[in-house]
């Protein structure tokens, strides 16, 4: 399945400066059994009603609980949660 994390950061957050540190955190999820792929997609249209970033993990559905309990997931939430204005989670085949 594809696990999408779609993020709108708070106004004034320099998204470009966060991309590599965020990628570094999510690359660590690749050690979780069943997690096979990672993509970060930056929004290419600068409008206030657009989200800024989409993180896509390709994983087995059974890997989701391990991902939720993982250190990279905790660090993502702890280190970047205060910078996030809105977030949507979307899972699909």
């Amino acid at each position: 399945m594809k696990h999408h994390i779609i993020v709108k950061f708070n106004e004034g957050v320099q998204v470009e400066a966060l991309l590599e540190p965020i990628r570094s955190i999510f690359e660590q999820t690749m050690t979780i059994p069943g997690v096979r792929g990672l993509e970060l997609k930056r929004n290419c249209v600068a409008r206030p009603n657009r989200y800024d970033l989409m993180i896509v993990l390709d994983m087995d559905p059974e890997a989701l609980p391990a991902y939720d309990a993982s250190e990279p997931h905790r660090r993502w939430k702890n280190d970047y949660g205060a910078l996030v204005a809105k977030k949507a989670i979307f899972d699909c085949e």
Side-chain angles (χ1 to χ4, degrees):
M1 84 175 178
K2 302 285 186 176
H3 177 71
H4 299 76
I5 305 162
I6 307 167
V7 181
K8 174 134 180 102
F9 289 102
N10 293 326
E11 192 169 325
V13 170
Q14 299 299 313
V15 178
E16 291 299 323
L18 301 179
L19 294 179
E20 285 311 309
I22 290 171
R23 180 182 300 283
S24 178
I25 288 173
F26 279 94
E27 282 177 345
Q28 295 171 26
T29 66
M30 301 299 290
T31 64
I32 299 169
V35 177
R36 292 182 297 280
L38 167 67
E39 288 183 80
L40 267 66
K41 299 286 189 177
R42 178 80 165 89
N43 178 38
C44 64
V45 177
R47 290 188 179 176
N49 66 338
R50 299 296 196 264
Y51 279 64
D52 299 303
L53 179 66
M54 181 172 65
I55 303 160
V56 183
L57 290 169
D58 184 7
M59 67 170 71
D60 296 330
E62 299 79 23
L64 190 56
Y67 163 74
D68 285 340
S70 72
E71 178 59 28
H73 184 242
R74 279 193 293 273
R75 199 169 34 202
W76 157 247
K77 291 175 83 171
N78 289 338
D79 293 356
Y80 294 94
L83 302 177
V84 173
K86 299 178 191 178
K87 179 174 70 171
I89 307 298
F90 182 80
D91 297 313
C92 63
E93 291 296 323

